[in-house]
């Protein structure tokens, strides 16, 4: 019996797929429209431009913020520098068994005692100078009206009294005087505010300096943390030695001024020597200001003594800046004298008094980093 058509279909199985050439099995890539790359490229350029503009705006705002806070940042830098400079004394007291809080209190009390002694020496001298100046004003007025005296001849030639009266009598002169008085008041208030900020921040940094150092060390990877701690401690140690050397050179300047004033008969030699020692701790301008003050006081003795005092101050400052200070810093912090002079000049030009103070420690830190991290790699390559 022959198979039915249905049985034939079942026995034949599923229909075979016709053979397709290999070329036909290849997947034909789908081409994207030409408008899509241009659109994505435009979006990419827009993102780059937006990011650049946003970054420039943030950078400009950051610069403006730093400029506005420059005075405060300078005060904070000064406070941190003072705290680091006093750290060797605090650590020495700590090794003697004092707790850190009591050690900081002892150092602060010592500094306050030194300043109190300076004020006790200066106040009588300033009071006597003001009284002498007040008593000399009538004599100077008589000499100005005496055509045979030196002041009288100067008055006849330059008409000082008439010019001063015209200046004070005019409305602009009165406003300038009032503005000068207000400006002096603002300067005093600003100085007192800055002093309070520096003292407060210095005390906080002195008490919390170990915790601050531990916090900063945590930003260094653990494999390099020991080396970073060693470098930091070496830098802090040299900063302390720098302040010790600076204190010694300032003491030499104060003793030299005291000896000169005692030998030439300039009044208040102890107060002037103390003042010069304090001002001499400020690089660049401190010794100059001290020399000017001593020379002005020497005018009360005679003009030749004042001129000689000015010459002595100038000669001693040159010797200190280019002979005593560089050599002392070389033994204290192992910095070449040329580097010391250049660092002080550059730091004073950039940040003024604070820049002059921190210039040598910064040079020391840069030198240590170069010797320990940079030069070994360049020598090995």
């Amino acid at each position: 019996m022959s198979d039915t058509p249905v049985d034939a279909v079942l026995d034949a199985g599923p229909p075979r797929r016709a053979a397709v050439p290999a070329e036909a099995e290849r997947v034909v890539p789908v081409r994207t429209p030409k408008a899509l790359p241009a659109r994505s490229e435009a979006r990419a350029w827009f993102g780059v431009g937006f990011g650049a503009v946003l970054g420039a705006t943030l950078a400009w705002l950051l610069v403006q913020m730093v400029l506005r806070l420059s005075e405060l940042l300078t005060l904070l830098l000064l406070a941190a520098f003072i705290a680091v400079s006093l750290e060797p004394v605090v650590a020495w007291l700590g090794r003697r068994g004092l707790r850190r809080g009591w050690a900081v209190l002892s150092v602060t009390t010592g500094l306050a005692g030194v300043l109190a002694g300076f004020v006790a020496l200066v106040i009588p001298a300033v009071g006597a100078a003001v009284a002498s100046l007040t008593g000399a004003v009538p004599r100077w007025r008589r000499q100005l009206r005496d055509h045979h005296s030196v002041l009288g001849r100067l008055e006849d030639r330059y008409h000082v009294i008439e010019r001063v009266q015209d200046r004070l009598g005019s409305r602009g002169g009165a406003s300038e005087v009032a503005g000068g008085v207000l400006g002096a008041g603002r300067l005093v208030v600003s100085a007192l505010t800055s002093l309070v900020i520096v003292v407060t921040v210095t005390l906080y940094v002195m008490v919390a300096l170990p915790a601050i150092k531990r916090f900063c060390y945590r930003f260094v990877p653990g494999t390099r943390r020991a080396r970073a701690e060693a470098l930091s401690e070496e830098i802090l140690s040299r900063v302390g030695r720098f302040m010790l050397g600076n204190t010694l050179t300032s003491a030499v300047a104060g003793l030299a001024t005291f000896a000169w004033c005692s030998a030439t008969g300039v009044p208040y030699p102890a107060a002037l020597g103390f003042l010069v020692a304090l001002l001499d701790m400020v690089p660049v301008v401190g010794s100059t200001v001290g020399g000017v003050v001593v020379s002005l006081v020497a005018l009360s003795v005679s003009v030749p003594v004042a001129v000689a005092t000015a010459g002595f101050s100038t000669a001693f400052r040159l010797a200190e800046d280019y002979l005593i200070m560089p050599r002392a810093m070389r033994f204290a912090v192992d910095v070449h004298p040329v580097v010391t002079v250049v660092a002080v000049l550059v730091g004073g030009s950039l940040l003024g008094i604070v820049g002059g103070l921190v210039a040598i420690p910064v040079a020391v830190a840069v030198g240590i980093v170069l010797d320990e991290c940079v030069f070994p790699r360049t020598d090995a390559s």
Side-chain angles (χ1 to χ4, degrees):
M1 182 176 178
S2 62
D3 294 333
T4 62
V6 177
D7 295 335
V9 172
L10 293 175
D11 295 338
R16 294 182 180 181
R17 187 176 179 181
V20 181
E23 292 80 2
E25 290 183 354
R26 293 177 182 176
V27 178
V28 179
V30 180
R31 295 182 179 180
T32 57
K34 295 183 179 181
L36 291 178
R39 186 177 300 175
S40 60
E41 185 176 357
R43 291 179 179 177
W45 280 109
F46 175 78
V48 171
F50 180 77
V53 172
L54 181 61
T57 303
L58 293 177
W60 182 81
L61 291 176
L62 180 62
V63 170
Q64 294 298 319
M65 184 182 301
V66 171
L67 291 177
R68 291 181 180 179
L69 297 177
S70 59
E71 184 176 357
L72 178 60
L73 294 177
T74 303
L75 294 177
L76 296 179
L77 177 62
L78 177 60
F81 175 74
I82 295 174
V84 171
S85 302
L86 295 175
E87 175 61 19
V89 182
V90 176
W92 181 81
L93 293 176
R95 289 193 296 270
R96 295 300 180 274
L98 281 180
R99 296 178 59 183
R100 185 167 187 86
W102 289 107
V104 172
L105 181 61
S106 301
V107 173
T108 306
T109 304
L111 291 177
V114 171
L115 294 178
F118 170 70
V119 172
L121 287 174
V122 168
I123 286 181
V126 172
V130 171
S132 176
L133 180 63
T134 305
V137 168
R139 185 177 73 252
W140 291 346
R141 293 182 60 183
R142 289 194 301 268
Q143 291 179 1
L144 284 172
R145 300 183 185 278
D146 185 6
H147 301 286
H148 299 287
S149 64
V150 177
L151 294 179
R153 287 194 294 269
L154 291 175
E155 168 61 22
D156 293 338
R157 184 173 181 178
Y158 297 105
H159 305 287
V160 178
I161 297 177
E162 183 179 354
R163 291 185 179 182
V164 171
Q165 290 176 349
D166 293 340
R167 191 69 174 174
L168 294 177
S170 61
R171 182 175 301 177
S175 62
E176 289 181 2
V177 172
V181 173
L182 292 176
R186 292 195 190 100
L187 182 62
V188 172
V189 173
S190 177
L192 292 177
T193 304
S194 301
L195 179 62
V196 171
I197 292 175
V198 170
V199 171
T200 304
V201 177
T202 301
L203 292 177
Y204 276 109
V205 174
M206 289 175 64
V207 173
L209 187 58
I212 294 174
K213 290 192 296 185
R214 288 194 299 268
F215 175 76
C216 294
Y217 291 152
R218 295 186 64 183
F219 289 95
V220 182
T223 55
R224 302 179 181 179
R225 190 170 299 172
R227 188 177 183 183
E229 291 180 2
L231 290 176
S232 301
E233 294 299 328
E234 179 65 20
I235 291 172
L236 294 178
S237 175
R238 293 197 184 185
V239 170
R241 294 204 298 267
F242 159 72
M243 285 305 298
L244 178 60
N246 194 10
T247 303
L248 292 177
T249 55
S250 299
V252 171
L255 292 175
T257 303
F258 172 78
W260 174 266
C261 293
S262 300
T264 55
V266 178
Y268 317 113
L272 292 177
F274 210 136
L275 176 64
V276 169
L278 289 179
L279 292 177
D280 192 76
M281 297 187 70
V282 180
V284 182
V285 297
S287 56
T288 302
V289 174
V292 170
V293 172
V294 175
S295 301
L296 291 177
V297 175
L299 279 174
S300 61
V301 179
S302 64
V303 175
V305 172
V307 174
T309 301
F312 166 77
S313 300
T314 303
F316 186 84
R317 182 196 172 182
L318 293 176
E320 181 185 10
D321 290 345
Y322 295 100
L323 293 177
I324 301 175
M325 186 74 172
R327 294 180 183 275
M329 290 302 103
R330 183 175 185 179
F331 287 108
V333 295
D334 194 18
V335 178
H336 196 275
V338 176
V339 178
T340 301
V341 174
V342 173
V344 170
L345 293 176
V346 173
S349 301
L350 293 177
L351 294 177
I353 296 175
V354 179
L357 282 173
V358 302
I360 297 178
V362 170
V364 171
V366 172
I368 292 176
V369 173
L370 291 177
D371 291 337
E372 297 293 335
C373 299
V374 179
F375 292 155
R377 295 181 181 179
T378 56
D379 294 338
S381 61

